Structure formats: structure tokens, C-alpha cells
Amino acid sequence: QGARQAGAQQQGVRQQKGAAPGAAQQRMPMQQGQQQQPAPAQPQQPAVPAIPPSQMTKDQLMNYLVNAPPAQAKQILGERLYHLIQGSQGELAGKITGMLLEGLDNSELVALIDDQQALTGKIQEALSALEAHAASAQAQQ
């Protein structure tokens, strides 16, 4: 039995005391000359911001967006824009925000966050598109 345990230790496993041969075994620390295989890489999740995007300063927002994946950056921009649009458009804020996110790239969205006049212009364009869509839907009935 001592020879069995010695052989098992050379293979990097040790039989638990009092366990029957072939029972559950424990891993031993690596022996000299053996190489540990690297753990499989796991996708790295970006850190969740401590401050909600709607309350970030422009500089905080820009720093966060630079390091965020494109889809997450779009999400953050959408949250920020929704907060800005909701004050003037109420229930339509979600629809308008979605239209802006779909029609503009991230750099244009950042510009809207910083320029209230440009944002108001884009909101008016979205409202006009919604009215035109409602009118064409009404005409088809």
C-alpha cells in the first residue's frame, strides 16, 4: 500500500487517509519540473460605474465611454439622453431616445448631450417623424 501511495504522489494526487483504494483523491501541489496549465481566459467585464450615467459630469462620461465596449457605450449614452429628453417629452422620451440611438453614431450622441440647442433640434426631427408616421398609419385605415 505504501508503494501505491508513493506512486500516486508522483502523479500529483494523494489518497485520503482511511479511504479505500480508488476512492476520492486530492490534488497535490505541483512538483518541480511540472508545468501548470493556464486557466481558460474569461471575458473581462468592464467595471460598473459608481455614479449613474445620468449624474456623471461630461468629463466623467467621456472617460467612461472611452474604455467601454461600443454596445455598452451606446447604452450609457441612451440613459443619459433619456434623462435629458424626459424633462420636456415625458412619455415619448423612450421612443425619441431610441430613434436617436438608432440613427446617430456615438460621437453625434455625445455632442447632443453637450449641446441643448442641437438636442432640441433632434427632438423636433424625431417628433416630426413620429407625427408623419401616425398620419400615414391613419390614412391607411
Side-chain angles (χ1 to χ4, degrees), residues 5 10 32 39 48 70 73 78 89 93 96-97 118 122 130 133 140:
Q5 284 182 334
Q10 286 177 351
Q32 216 172 14
V48 175
Q89 298 303 316
I96 293 169
T97 301
K122 290 294 183 183
L130 286 172
H133 178 71
Q140 289 179 356

Side-chain angles (χ1 to χ4, degrees), residues 19-81:
Q25 297 177 343
Q26 282 183 290
R27 287 267 167 214
M28 291 288 291
M30 293 282 220
Q31 303 224 346
Q32 216 172 14
Q34 291 180 333
Q35 292 183 359
Q36 184 176 5
Q37 293 184 5
Q42 295 183 4
Q44 202 172 21
Q45 295 292 327
V48 175
I51 304 170
S54 61
Q55 296 175 4
M56 288 181 182
T57 65
K58 182 183 177 200
D59 289 337
Q60 289 171 325
L61 181 65
M62 293 306 295
N63 285 335
Y64 186 72
L65 292 175
V66 166
N67 297 317
Q72 188 174 11
K74 192 74 99 170
Q75 173 75 28
I76 297 295
L77 289 168
E79 290 175 19
R80 183 68 179 259
L81 284 168

